[in-house]
Amino acid sequence: MTISKPAARRTVLQETDAEADRQLNTLTGWRRFIDGPPTPPVLASRSAWQQMNPAKRDLYDESRLDHHARMLTVATSFVERTAICGRRLVLLNRHAISARRGLIVSGPAGTGKTIAITQLGRSHELLDRARHPHATHRIPVVYVTVPPAATARMIATEFARFLGLPVRARSNMTDIIEAAVGVCTDTRTALVLVDELHNISLTSRHGAEVADTLKYFSERLPATFVYAGIDIDESGLLSGTRGAQIAGRFTLIPTRPFPYNSEWKGLVATMEDTLRLHEHRPGTLTDLDRFLHNHTGGMIGSLPRHPRSRPRRHPHRHREDHQEEPPGHSARPHSPHHGVHGHENRCVPMNSELPPRFAPLPVRLRPCLGESTNSYIRRLARANYLQPSFLHCYLCGPPQWFGRPLLEHLATTAGHSPEALERALADANSLGGTNRPRRRLPRRNPFAGRQDLAHRIAQEALKGTQIRTLAKRHNLRCSDIRFALEVPRLTTAETSPLTEPITGELADLVEGMIGRKLNARQIWTELMDHHDYLVTYDSIRHYIRYTRSRTASARVGNPEAHTAAPTASP
């Protein structure tokens, strides 16, 4: 099948949009960075390139453009020194309970500070994966950046943002810190990379609070902290009481521009080996190593930009080589359809998809067979150190904050497929979303004449009880327990009994909350966060408005019932 040129271009654009989400300050983007870039394209011969059809040639040229647009990472002496020092500090802090040592990478802009600390984090995570190949829940490295004019709450939000924890505008900073610290501790975080530290100013109150917040994180987390910023040693971050404490615990590694020596020539030669251009003469770029050093000032951050942005011809044109223009000579203006970096100047269409609102939580749990949605959300929230009421409202969203979440939203947040949740959750058919076919029943019914036992097992499984525990408790086989939990509830009337009625101890608990002047929303929040009752918001409202008033009227008409069970004052 031949792919048309618009279809091929659309495919390339979709792959480019997917790469645009590759941000280091998110867990998904960081893991993509750890997995490494794709394999460089093989440079075809000139005759093979001319024999390609237009669609295949366009895809081939786009793959080369994408390869040249990627940032090349070279293992320089500075990167190796940072990796060795950082690895040594991680080993020294392995059994430290306080006053852990850290690392500060400081120097002028463009000297490779971010490259050095990210390569340190990449080497540490690859080593952790090699030691624990089957532990997919581990997050050994956390990478955050300090935003401009940062506050303490913004720093805590950056930690939560990397981990994928949801944060609302009204979220308490203490809750954000506790959730981030709890998740990092459970996922065995051992290295925290903090970039753009020069955005902190200890002369302001907010800057001092940010420094104290980072210090609090370093005390709570059993991890090694690595800071990177522009000229940190010359700024006021290492002066004063706070700065003296930071300077005493952290090792400073300064960066500087590369001198013109054999290492610089090796960098240029490595850069030339990565080029995928037709009619490129080997040695053209290495002959210009002196010019590149004078033009970049020895800044490694500026070196990859010049070879990629100065090709004389675009790969889509007939001639491709790489020759630097002499100093003082202005480059030929590009076509309005092409950018300065060899890319087409493509604008992202306005109707492109926005990034998804829901992201997988860092700690994932498997749903128990026959478990209710509220029980699973409660267990998922507590595993990620979140309030269950907050996660439930986050999944529902406006305007139905207390309704039922969509199955697709819950599946995305939990990191499971909608089909897996539909098979496990007892009330999955009552969740919002598309209608799904009913499941077939097995031919043999092990609970014939014992429907009450099957109902009792299903009620116990709603709170997340494991199948083996239920089988041992009722002296049954696991297959029989699974049959009792896989019986589909076909109508809404059959799914309504999944919630517990407000009677007995639960009614006394609700009456006590009403006596404390709590409304229905506050009662539901407290029951969701601090108790294990399966109660919906609508059932609480119905109890306050109707059931409670009818019960009070019946007790007034029956003095004996009123004496036996006094009603709590509203």
Side-chain angles (χ1 to χ4, degrees):
M1 183 180 65
T2 303
I3 304 177
S4 62
K5 186 174 182 179
R9 182 62 54 84
R10 192 180 308 113
T11 302
V12 173
L13 287 176
Q14 291 175 355
E15 294 177 355
T16 305
D17 294 339
E19 289 293 328
D21 190 36
R22 188 177 178 179
Q23 301 176 359
L24 294 179
N25 52 5
T26 61
L27 184 58
T28 303
W30 175 261
R31 286 177 173 172
R32 290 181 180 177
F33 166 74
I34 298 300
D35 295 336
T39 304
V42 179
L43 185 62
S45 62
R46 187 70 177 180
S47 58
W49 180 79
Q50 292 176 351
Q51 294 176 2
M52 296 180 183
N53 58 57
K56 187 176 181 180
R57 184 185 304 171
D58 185 75
L59 287 176
Y60 171 70
D61 291 340
E62 286 291 343
S63 64
R64 288 191 295 148
L65 287 173
D66 185 70
H67 166 70
H68 291 145
R70 297 180 184 274
M71 179 67 70
L72 176 66
T73 302
V74 182
T76 62
S77 59
F78 170 66
V79 174
E80 293 178 355
R81 179 186 176 190
T82 304
I84 294 174
C85 185
R87 180 58 187 161
R88 184 184 300 114
L89 291 175
V90 171
L91 294 177
L92 292 177
N93 293 331
R94 178 176 296 179
H95 301 290
I97 58 176
S98 64
R100 299 178 182 88
R101 316 299 295 182
L103 184 65
I104 294 180
V105 180
S106 173
T111 53
K113 298 180 296 297
T114 301
I115 295 177
I117 64 173
T118 52
Q119 289 302 312
L120 168 63
R122 185 171 186 269
S123 62
H124 176 76
E125 181 148 350
L126 290 177
L127 182 61
D128 186 85
R129 290 184 180 182
R131 290 180 174 178
H132 310 279
H134 303 293
T136 58
H137 66 281
R138 297 174 67 92
I139 306 177
V141 181
V142 172
Y143 177 86
V144 297
T145 57
V146 179
T151 61
R153 190 180 188 278
M154 294 171 65
I155 292 297
T157 304
E158 286 295 319
F159 276 86
R161 180 171 176 265
F162 177 88
L163 297 173
L165 299 174
V167 177
R168 289 192 300 179
R170 295 185 297 176
S171 298
N172 188 5
M173 188 182 73
T174 304
D175 295 337
I176 300 175
I177 293 178
E178 290 297 327
V181 170
V183 170
C184 289
T185 304
D186 292 346
T187 55
R188 303 298 187 268
T189 300
L191 187 64
V192 177
L193 309 177
V194 182
D195 204 355
E196 307 294 336
L197 194 68
H198 54 269
N199 290 330
I200 300 177
S201 176
L202 295 182
T203 58
S204 62
R205 181 176 63 87
H206 292 300
E209 291 177 354
V210 170
D212 293 340
T213 303
L214 289 176
K215 181 178 179 298
Y216 182 71
F217 270 108
S218 65
E219 294 292 342
R220 291 286 306 273
L221 293 177
T224 301
F225 276 66
V226 178
Y227 297 153
I230 300 176
D231 297 331
I232 298 177
D233 52 341
E234 298 179 2
S235 63
L237 288 176
L238 302 182
S239 60
T241 305
R242 292 184 176 89
Q245 188 178 25
I246 296 175
R249 294 185 180 181
F250 283 76
T251 302
L252 179 64
I253 296 182
T255 62
R256 56 181 176 83
F258 280 84
Y260 182 71
N261 53 15
S262 59
E263 185 176 10
W264 177 265
K265 296 179 182 179
L267 292 177
V268 177
T270 305
M271 195 77 61
E272 186 178 18
D273 294 339
T274 62
L275 296 178
R276 296 295 185 268
L277 297 174
H278 294 289
E279 300 182 6
H280 173 72
R281 296 189 302 272
T284 303
L285 199 61
T286 54
D287 294 340
L288 300 171
D289 50 9
R290 170 73 73 175
F291 169 77
L292 290 174
H293 185 271
N294 296 335
H295 199 65
T296 60
M299 299 294 184
I300 190 175
S302 303
L303 178 60
R305 178 171 56 89
H306 291 276
R308 294 182 301 170
S309 60
R310 298 296 296 274
R312 177 167 293 186
R313 294 288 182 182
H314 192 272
H316 285 169
R317 303 180 185 179
H318 296 289
R319 177 177 172 82
E320 296 179 13
D321 58 7
H322 198 288
Q323 296 179 3
E324 288 287 341
E325 301 292 346
H329 181 80
S330 60
R332 183 182 305 175
H334 293 275
S335 171
H337 299 286
H338 297 87
V340 297
H341 294 281
H343 285 284
E344 294 189 1
N345 192 12
R346 300 185 298 265
C347 297
V348 180
M350 295 300 294
N351 57 354
S352 61
E353 295 183 0
L354 295 176
R357 172 192 168 199
F358 298 95
L361 292 175
V363 180
R364 304 178 184 180
L365 297 178
R366 295 180 58 184
C368 298
L369 187 61
E371 187 178 10
S372 66
T373 304
N374 286 341
S375 175
Y376 182 62
I377 292 177
R378 182 183 285 114
R379 292 197 304 115
L380 189 64
R382 290 175 178 174
N384 289 274
Y385 293 87
L386 298 174
Q387 295 290 343
S389 59
F390 165 72
L391 183 59
H392 187 279
C393 296
Y394 173 77
L395 292 174
C396 294
Q400 302 295 333
W401 294 101
F402 306 99
R404 291 185 177 274
L406 293 177
L407 184 61
E408 288 75 11
H409 295 174
L410 180 59
T412 302
T413 306
H416 298 287
S417 62
E419 292 76 14
L421 294 184
E422 184 182 10
R423 289 192 299 266
L425 299 180
D427 53 348
N429 292 331
S430 64
L431 299 180
T434 58
N435 294 326
R436 296 171 177 79
R438 301 174 180 178
R439 293 190 291 262
R440 294 183 178 179
L441 292 176
R443 296 180 179 179
R444 187 182 66 86
N445 184 6
F447 294 95
R450 298 188 299 172
Q451 290 81 4
D452 55 341
L453 179 58
H455 177 73
R456 218 166 39 244
I457 293 175
Q459 292 297 324
E460 294 176 3
L462 290 176
K463 297 182 179 181
T465 309
Q466 300 289 338
I467 294 180
R468 292 183 179 179
T469 305
L470 293 174
K472 185 177 181 180
R473 182 181 302 172
H474 296 280
N475 196 19
L476 295 173
R477 296 180 301 178
C478 293
S479 59
D480 298 338
I481 299 296
R482 189 173 289 106
F483 174 84
L485 301 180
E486 287 180 350
V487 175
R489 296 168 173 82
L490 305 180
T491 62
T492 307
E494 293 177 356
T495 59
S496 58
L498 293 177
T499 59
E500 298 182 8
I502 303 179
T503 57
E505 296 181 357
L506 179 57
D508 297 337
L509 184 61
V510 173
E511 288 293 339
M513 297 179 185
I514 295 176
R516 291 157 44 196
K517 307 299 182 183
L518 300 183
N519 54 27
R521 175 180 178 179
Q522 295 171 339
I523 293 175
W524 177 84
T525 301
E526 187 167 343
L527 290 176
M528 192 73 178
D529 294 342
H530 306 291
H531 302 278
D532 294 331
Y533 291 105
L534 303 178
V535 184
T536 61
Y537 177 71
D538 293 336
S539 62
I540 295 176
R541 293 184 58 188
H542 186 274
Y543 175 81
I544 295 177
R545 292 185 178 183
Y546 305 104
T547 307
R548 184 168 177 266
S549 59
R550 289 198 301 266
T551 304
S553 301
R555 288 176 177 175
V556 170
N558 188 357
E560 296 181 357
H562 178 73
T563 304
T567 306
S569 58

